Amino acid sequence: MKVLIVNTSERTGGAAVAANRLMMALNNNGVKAKMLVRDREVLPASGLAGRNDTLTVVGLPQSPLLRWHFLWERLVIFVRLHFQRKHLFELDIANTGTDITRLREFREADIIHLHWINQGMLSLSDIRKILRSGKPVVWTMHDIWPATAICHLTLGCRNFTTQCRRCKYLPGGGSNNDLSASIWKKKQQMVADENVYYVACSRWLESEAKASALLRGQKITSIPNPIDTHIYKKGDKQEARKRLGLPPDRQLILFASQRVTNRNKGMDYLIEACRQLHAKGVAPSVVILGGHAEEVVDQLPLEAYPLGYINDEQRIVDIYHAVDVFVLPSLSENLPNTIMEAMACGVPCIGFRVGGIPEEIDHKRNGYVAEYRNAGDLAEGIRWILTEADYEELSRNAIQKVARNYSQQSVAIKYLDIYQQAMAFKHYKL
């Protein structure tokens, strides 16, 4: 069986990380999996972060149009936002992209496995061509976009359960015939009379997708992202701190995000939680991993170590080894890779009761699930783990949860079953 995994980026973003890990998991379990990306990174051949093989990762044919596709889509959205940058990268309309059905990798594949294909990778018409190619198609949902018109985060909006329109992201709240309404109709035409096997990365997202009027009648299930537990595993805390230049005698909490200043990642709630901890005499240090980390240091009442954006996998593993607790106060999440990584390294985690986070964190068993948007409960979770809980038991439970649910082999087996179902159904229709 040959599987072609399609994703915009090879390594940037959670979906890229998950797609890469799935490709490795499949190849380690007897499937010939290859990844097709627009943004391919050529990395050193040595080191964990440099395992880039031309036989398994291929980029789109280089053309000036690749950059233009991205810019043209952003320009159209920018105009519809009345030239305001707010929400510019929270919406996608897939009005331009690359036809991949002509590529050799596509022709050779038995299964086409779509992942995050936005920002100029594939247009709606490109996806329609893929669906009409006769090849079985599996689509892993890393967010809600495949089930809505234009947004990646619904943030409480339920219009997608009937029809997207009057979009809250658009100026003035949109209208009955706004951009979301027109893209909704195009998406309806795209999937009409076609069968796609949708796979959500969490049970929460599965339930959201099943509520979508756009995907009514489609096959929808959930399979978590895989993780390599040979890489992400418990390590020596003091040695890791020495390598990173972090204090050996302080309790450390970690916050990580691709862009720390993204309000949806909840840094404001962590700042408030730290203020409350400081007032109660609990004073751990904060390690901040991600772009623009230095911009939030002055807002924290606790000692902070901004590490910036890091792309080296071994260094990221070192960071997990070095810290005592991982905090992700996101306002919307699917099934965060970062929580899975931290747990695999034996680090108890804290997050809000939202999205797929409660599926990963078992409250007071391997971490702490705080009430949504409640900085006080977030602070209580940090205090409980650092000063009251049986830390070693939490750590053991976290490692066991990952091994049982998110290992490469367990996830690969589940996807193999989906692939076989998709191929059998296509054969039946033919």
Side-chain angles (χ1 to χ4, degrees), residues 33-47:
K34 185 176 288 190
M35 195 168 169
L36 175 67
V37 300
R38 184 195 66 192
D39 303 332
R40 184 168 184 267
E41 297 182 24
V42 179
L43 299 172
S46 60

Side-chain angles (χ1 to χ4, degrees), residues 91-107:
L91 307 176
D92 276 294
I93 59 176
N95 63 333
T96 184
T98 301
D99 179 7
I100 67 170
T101 60
R102 302 177 182 180
L103 300 181
R104 176 174 59 84
E105 290 79 12
F106 184 93
R107 296 196 305 269

Side-chain angles (χ1 to χ4, degrees), residues 147-199:
T148 68
I150 61 177
C151 73
H152 293 275
L153 299 174
T154 58
L155 297 179
C157 174
R158 307 304 295 173
N159 287 353
F160 71 96
T161 64
T162 52
Q163 178 192 334
C164 284
R165 56 187 175 182
R166 304 193 67 83
C167 180
K168 63 195 291 184
Y169 285 99
L170 299 175
S175 68
N176 286 333
N177 297 302
D178 62 12
L179 180 63
S180 68
S182 63
I183 298 299
W184 177 273
K185 292 176 183 177
K186 291 179 181 179
K187 279 191 168 182
Q188 280 185 317
Q189 295 169 359
M190 179 184 78
V191 298
D193 303 319
E194 298 293 345
N195 289 279
V196 183
Y197 280 71
Y198 291 91
V199 180

Side-chain angles (χ1 to χ4, degrees), residues 18 22 115 140 142 199-203 221-227 334-335 337 340 359-360 401-402 404-408 410-412 414-415:
L22 177 60
H115 282 255
T140 290
H142 294 277
V199 180
C201 296
S202 66
R203 294 190 298 275
T221 189
S222 59
I223 300 175
N225 296 326
I227 189 170
N334 187 5
L335 200 75
N337 291 322
M340 193 183 300
E359 296 174 34
E360 290 181 293
K401 174 75 177 278
V402 171
R404 187 169 59 250
N405 294 279
Y406 310 131
S407 69
Q408 282 192 345
S410 65
V411 172
K414 291 175 182 176
Y415 266 111

Side-chain angles (χ1 to χ4, degrees), residues 344-386:
C345 294
V347 179
C349 297
I350 303 171
F352 285 139
R353 190 178 301 279
V354 66
I357 288 177
E359 296 174 34
E360 290 181 293
I361 303 174
D362 300 315
H363 186 55
K364 288 194 170 183
R365 180 168 172 78
N366 54 39
Y368 191 98
V369 181
E371 292 307 310
Y372 188 54
R373 291 180 181 263
N374 190 327
D377 201 20
L378 198 70
E380 171 58 21
I382 297 171
R383 185 206 64 78
W384 180 78
I385 288 177
L386 294 181

Side-chain angles (χ1 to χ4, degrees), residues 60-265:
L60 292 178
Q62 289 302 302
S63 165
L65 286 176
L66 295 183
R67 181 64 176 168
W68 175 243
H69 290 162
F70 168 77
L71 294 174
W72 174 244
E73 183 184 36
R74 290 309 105 192
L75 178 59
V76 173
I77 295 172
F78 191 45
V79 171
R80 294 302 188 104
L81 292 175
H82 295 178
F83 304 100
Q84 298 177 26
R85 289 185 59 84
K86 188 178 181 182
H87 306 316
L88 180 59
F89 291 95
E90 297 172 54
L91 307 176
D92 276 294
I93 59 176
N95 63 333
T96 184
T98 301
D99 179 7
I100 67 170
T101 60
R102 302 177 182 180
L103 300 181
R104 176 174 59 84
E105 290 79 12
F106 184 93
R107 296 196 305 269
E108 292 177 349
D110 300 308
I111 297 279
I112 305 303
H113 191 159
L114 304 180
H115 282 255
W116 201 89
I117 43 73
N118 299 110
Q119 295 192 354
M121 174 69 184
L122 297 179
S123 69
L124 298 183
S125 61
D126 294 329
I127 298 172
R128 181 66 167 160
K129 288 178 182 178
I130 293 170
L131 299 182
R132 286 181 166 179
S133 69
K135 292 182 181 290
V137 177
V138 175
W139 194 342
T140 290
M141 298 176 60
H142 294 277
D143 56 41
I144 196 66
W145 186 83
T148 68
I150 61 177
C151 73
H152 293 275
L153 299 174
T154 58
L155 297 179
C157 174
R158 307 304 295 173
N159 287 353
F160 71 96
T161 64
T162 52
Q163 178 192 334
C164 284
R165 56 187 175 182
R166 304 193 67 83
C167 180
K168 63 195 291 184
Y169 285 99
L170 299 175
S175 68
N176 286 333
N177 297 302
D178 62 12
L179 180 63
S180 68
S182 63
I183 298 299
W184 177 273
K185 292 176 183 177
K186 291 179 181 179
K187 279 191 168 182
Q188 280 185 317
Q189 295 169 359
M190 179 184 78
V191 298
D193 303 319
E194 298 293 345
N195 289 279
V196 183
Y197 280 71
Y198 291 91
V199 180
C201 296
S202 66
R203 294 190 298 275
W204 165 78
L205 187 57
E206 177 189 359
S207 67
E208 290 289 276
K210 286 180 175 178
S212 169
L214 188 65
L215 303 189
R216 199 159 289 151
Q218 298 287 357
K219 300 172 183 63
I220 304 170
T221 189
S222 59
I223 300 175
N225 296 326
I227 189 170
D228 190 340
T229 51
H230 295 98
I231 296 173
Y232 292 89
K233 58 185 178 180
K234 197 162 187 176
D236 188 288
K237 190 180 298 291
Q238 291 304 320
E239 286 297 319
R241 291 185 177 192
K242 185 184 297 184
R243 285 191 290 270
L244 294 166
L246 295 173
D249 55 350
R250 299 294 302 273
Q251 290 181 313
L252 300 179
I253 63 176
L254 171 66
F255 173 91
S257 173
Q258 185 177 347
R259 182 166 55 88
V260 171
T261 52
N262 181 347
R263 296 184 69 86
N264 286 324
K265 294 301 179 180

